[in-house]
Amino acid sequence: MAVNASVRMKNIKPPRKEAPVWKRLSVVAALTISAIFAGFPVLWMLSSSFKGNSEIFAYPPKLITENFSFGAYSSILTDPVKLRFFFNSYLIAFSVTILTIVVAILAAYAFSRYEFRGKRSLNVIIVCVQAVPPITLLIPYFGLVVALGLYNTYPGLIFTYMVFTLPYAVIMLTGYFNTIPRELDEAVRVDGAGGMTALWRVIVPIAVPGLVSVGIYTFMIAWNEFLFALTLTRTESMRTVPIGIQLLMGQHAYEWNQMMAMSILGCLPVLVLFLFFQRYFIGGMTSGAVKV
Amino acid sequence: MSTHVSTQIHNSANGSIPPTVKPTVKRFRRNKKQLAALGFLSPLLILMMVLMATPILMVIGYSIYNNVITNPNPEVVGLANYGEILGNPKFWNAGKNTLFFTLTSVVVHMILGLTFAMLLNTEIISTKVRAVFRMILILPWLFTVAIVAILWRLMLNPNGVINYILETMGLISGQVEWLGNPAYALFALTFINIWAGYPFFMISLLAGLQGIPADLYEAAKVDGANPVQRFIHVTIPQLKPLIISLCLLDFIWTTQQFALIWMTTGGGPIDTTEVLSTFTYKLAFSRYEFSLASTSAVLILIASMIVAIFYARSQKSRD
């Protein structure tokens, strides 16, 4: 009985034609070339992080060193100052991501499902706000953050970063919500529920892939930020990873292996996060919702 | 005329709602909807007012004084600072470099992003293989700009691996100072930015490609369209709004790039990689010319706003 059902399911699918071998080979070849372009520098970073500093510029360069060593890693992982950079970066980036997503979901829902006075101009303003250069804000921000007592604090950086993450998040989520058929949430609202219910019960679950990609993107912005982290913090205990790397560069003669090790450690958790959420990008739900 | 009257009569005869009550109900409903929308928007609006409107007014204020922050008694000098900045050839040099860096980056990002996204979206390779390649192609995106800067400084070092590879391939002879030579520095910097930035396009376009209904391709196939025609008449039109948004965002973000330049060349050698953001930063924090820096910052803001309004218009005509 079960076998019958599965055979039936298979029969419903149109039979797929196998692609010719040359076609597959050329796609794999193109992908391999692009993978070398993307991956080789990363591989080199990894390889250098295991080298002794004297070997970094050895001639001819070797991808795999004989004197394989974790020395660069252990010198970072045992240094409380450097570990603090990581803690700060994660705390700030996660806070920014959560706050941005909540605020952006609400705003994007208003843009996608409501008609209100000033919608057009507000839309234009959000687009324009996104184009405001950080360097323009840097000088007044310094004064403002000091005046608000937020200089060299976490909230100072967290709220600052939201100004840069929100416009993108709102625009992308509005676009995403627009692809979700109105009939889905209107059906709930016809049954007497309010906008809030329709948003959290219907839209948000469908929009999970969009939320995840916006979330990861927001996280990356907060994680990467350099200019404001440099200017709005003062003490070593408040510095983030990007600034920490710069400090490492200034401190000694170039400890390339340590800088590479710190770079690897700096991206590793992001990599894991990304691997974990990657399936959301595959877009089963996305295309499902769009195709309804 | 007669039909119009008859409809009216018919309507009022049918009259579920008397004509005088109807607009009031409508307005009440509209107000309620306005309030709901305002409720959804209020967190965003409050944040934007405090953190965006205020600083912009402040920087515009700074730009009309002769000196601020370092001088306790600044005097209003009107537009004198604007004349000084616009007459400074270094400002225009930075602008020119910014434009080259940005335009090249955006165009190549778009081409690479779309190519890689389409390669990753083909169904002729197994899902697992595609997942592995996707992960590799995303890698540059997972590094902060500071890491990207350090990594490429290592690789582009005269004794570094890039020179070794190019020399082995017979493409160059001798040790090239990619970031130290005025003739190459801006190109090298643009290349680094291209490497670091294309995955954003790739991932967004991949999501866009997967959002295109399969029916469209089926219909095009039935009509006898070949893969190239399907690309031109189905894929591109479907992705066009996304591509326009991505290019604009990338344009805006790349013109604002600071950390990459600051940590690789610092604007040198001999100002060949000076961009508007490093120029302004140096004015403020190396020369303590906060008023002139504010003026430069306002000019960058104006240029950015022109691009943004242009984009908002193109979006409006799209709807």
Side-chain angles (χ1 to χ4, degrees):
Chain A
M1 191 62 201
V3 174
N4 269 350
S6 75
V7 168
R8 256 196 205 159
M9 286 300 286
K10 260 185 194 163
N11 285 346
I12 289 168
K13 268 188 172 176
R16 181 179 292 165
K17 261 194 296 178
E18 278 291 305
V21 175
W22 67 267
K23 226 176 179 176
R24 271 202 242 180
L25 278 179
S26 50
V27 170
V28 170
L31 278 172
T32 307
I33 292 168
S34 38
I36 291 169
F37 169 74
F40 178 75
V42 182
L43 209 59
W44 196 252
M45 183 190 299
L46 195 66
S47 133
S48 304
S49 71
F50 293 119
K51 289 178 183 170
N53 203 37
S54 55
E55 281 177 275
I56 290 281
F57 293 118
Y59 190 92
K62 278 183 190 157
L63 195 59
I64 295 162
T65 170
E66 292 104 52
N67 312 315
F68 191 87
S69 144
F70 283 103
Y73 288 91
S74 61
S75 71
I76 285 165
L77 291 173
T78 54
D79 186 342
V81 172
K82 282 162 195 158
L83 289 178
R84 179 78 188 204
F85 298 151
F86 285 93
F87 172 78
N88 290 342
S89 273
Y90 279 103
L91 184 78
I92 290 165
F94 275 117
S95 312
V96 171
T97 305
I98 290 161
L99 288 170
T100 299
I101 284 187
V102 171
V103 175
I105 283 175
L106 296 172
Y109 187 67
F111 275 115
S112 175
R113 295 300 199 261
Y114 286 90
E115 283 307 321
F116 51 89
R117 214 175 299 143
K119 183 175 172 176
R120 270 270 176 243
S121 21
L122 195 60
N123 221 332
V124 172
I125 288 171
I126 286 187
V127 171
C128 293
V129 154
Q130 188 167 223
V132 172
I135 193 82
T136 301
L137 297 175
L138 186 67
I139 302 164
Y141 242 104
F142 183 80
L144 200 62
V145 165
V146 170
L148 292 171
L150 295 175
Y151 180 66
N152 204 40
T153 66
Y154 293 122
L157 284 185
I158 290 166
F159 284 109
T160 308
Y161 291 180
M162 284 184 74
V163 181
F164 301 118
T165 57
L166 269 175
Y168 171 83
V170 171
I171 289 170
M172 288 316 255
L173 276 187
T174 305
Y176 203 90
F177 287 180
N178 283 339
T179 66
I180 298 171
R182 278 165 179 268
E183 290 79 18
L184 290 182
D185 50 300
E186 267 166 13
V188 174
R189 300 184 64 166
V190 164
D191 291 346
M196 254 324 184
T197 317
L199 172 59
W200 294 106
R201 291 272 168 80
V202 180
I203 303 284
V204 168
I206 296 175
V208 164
L211 293 177
V212 169
S213 51
V214 167
I216 291 179
Y217 195 78
T218 302
F219 188 92
M220 302 303 294
I221 297 238
W223 185 264
N224 285 353
E225 212 289 323
F226 181 82
L227 189 59
F228 284 78
L230 184 70
T231 319
L232 300 183
T233 62
R234 183 187 60 235
T235 57
E236 216 168 36
S237 64
M238 279 302 298
R239 298 296 200 183
T240 57
V241 171
I243 310 302
I245 289 172
Q246 206 212 11
L247 291 177
L248 207 64
M249 217 166 72
Q251 262 175 8
H252 318 285
Y254 286 54
E255 301 268 6
W256 286 107
N257 55 349
Q258 272 198 39
M259 288 194 264
M260 292 304 121
M262 189 150 169
S263 302
I264 294 288
L265 290 173
C267 81
L268 209 57
V270 181
L271 199 90
V272 171
L273 183 86
F274 194 84
L275 273 172
F276 182 71
F277 284 116
Q278 219 197 145
R279 61 198 175 95
Y280 287 94
F281 283 106
I282 298 166
M285 288 176 83
T286 324
S287 46
V290 173
K291 276 180 205 159
V292 165
Chain B
M1 192 62 205
S2 61
T3 45
H4 178 74
V5 172
S6 72
T7 344
Q8 238 180 4
I9 290 165
H10 177 75
N11 269 352
S12 59
N14 212 12
S16 48
I17 303 168
T20 42
V21 178
K22 214 172 169 184
T24 325
V25 172
K26 239 183 172 176
R27 196 179 304 145
F28 172 71
R29 279 199 191 131
R30 200 184 296 146
N31 281 343
K32 211 177 150 192
K33 281 209 116 184
Q34 293 256 355
L35 271 180
L38 194 68
F40 283 115
L41 286 168
S42 53
L44 178 77
L45 294 178
I46 292 167
L47 275 171
M48 284 302 160
M49 285 223 230
V50 175
L51 294 164
M52 187 60 71
T54 317
I56 287 176
L57 291 176
M58 283 168 77
V59 76
I60 293 171
Y62 287 167
S63 74
I64 57 165
Y65 283 95
N66 63 348
N67 208 342
V68 287
I69 299 176
T70 49
N71 186 338
N73 299 311
E75 282 169 29
V76 175
V77 291
L79 296 178
N81 290 328
Y82 288 88
E84 193 171 337
I85 286 288
L86 289 172
N88 187 342
K90 285 194 169 192
F91 176 78
W92 293 105
N93 171 55
K96 198 190 71 195
N97 290 340
T98 308
L99 207 60
F100 172 84
F101 177 72
T102 305
L103 286 178
T104 314
S105 295
V106 171
V107 169
V108 182
H109 277 162
M110 213 280 288
I111 294 168
L112 282 186
L114 186 57
T115 310
F116 292 178
M118 293 200 51
L119 284 172
L120 290 174
N121 201 41
T122 55
E123 292 193 348
I124 55 178
I125 307 174
S126 78
T127 319
K128 274 181 189 167
V129 176
R130 277 189 282 162
V132 171
F133 275 113
R134 185 177 54 225
M135 198 59 230
I136 297 171
L137 292 181
I138 281 168
L139 279 176
W141 195 40
L142 302 180
F143 297 96
T144 84
V145 190
I147 293 174
V148 169
I150 293 285
L151 170 62
W152 283 93
R153 275 181 71 164
L154 173 71
M155 296 194 31
L156 291 173
N157 188 287
N159 298 311
V161 67
I162 295 288
N163 274 341
Y164 174 78
I165 291 170
L166 292 177
E167 206 167 1
T168 314
M169 289 167 77
L171 293 173
I172 55 161
S173 61
Q175 296 177 334
V176 178
E177 287 213 37
W178 294 105
L179 293 167
N181 186 324
Y184 307 131
L186 188 58
F187 292 98
L189 213 57
T190 310
F191 179 84
I192 299 171
N193 192 57
I194 287 165
W195 181 83
Y198 77 84
F200 168 62
F201 274 73
M202 186 185 80
I203 277 297
S204 307
L205 289 171
L206 188 58
L209 283 172
Q210 286 167 345
I212 299 175
D215 319 11
L216 288 181
Y217 288 108
E218 294 299 329
K221 253 185 197 170
V222 169
D223 290 346
N226 63 36
V228 178
Q229 285 169 325
R230 289 203 294 271
F231 175 74
I232 294 170
H233 296 294
V234 180
T235 311
I236 291 295
Q238 288 284 313
L239 291 182
K240 202 178 149 199
L242 182 62
I243 289 176
I244 292 173
S245 315
L246 291 174
C247 284
L248 182 101
L249 290 178
D250 194 35
F251 185 90
I252 289 166
W253 287 331
T254 310
T255 50
Q256 298 165 359
Q257 180 63 267
F258 174 82
L260 181 66
I261 296 116
W262 193 248
M263 289 186 71
T264 46
T265 62
I270 343 169
D271 294 345
T272 49
T273 62
E274 192 84 285
V275 291
L276 288 169
S277 59
T278 54
F279 172 80
T280 309
Y281 185 86
K282 282 177 188 171
L283 265 184
F285 297 99
S286 303
R287 292 175 49 197
Y288 303 106
E289 296 273 13
F290 287 102
S291 284
L292 285 178
S294 298
T295 309
S296 173
V298 172
L299 288 170
I300 299 170
L301 177 69
I302 292 168
S304 304
M305 288 304 108
I306 291 169
V307 178
I309 288 166
F310 194 70
Y311 166 72
R313 273 199 183 159
S314 81
Q315 227 190 4
K316 205 171 172 182
S317 67
R318 207 177 75 211
D319 293 341

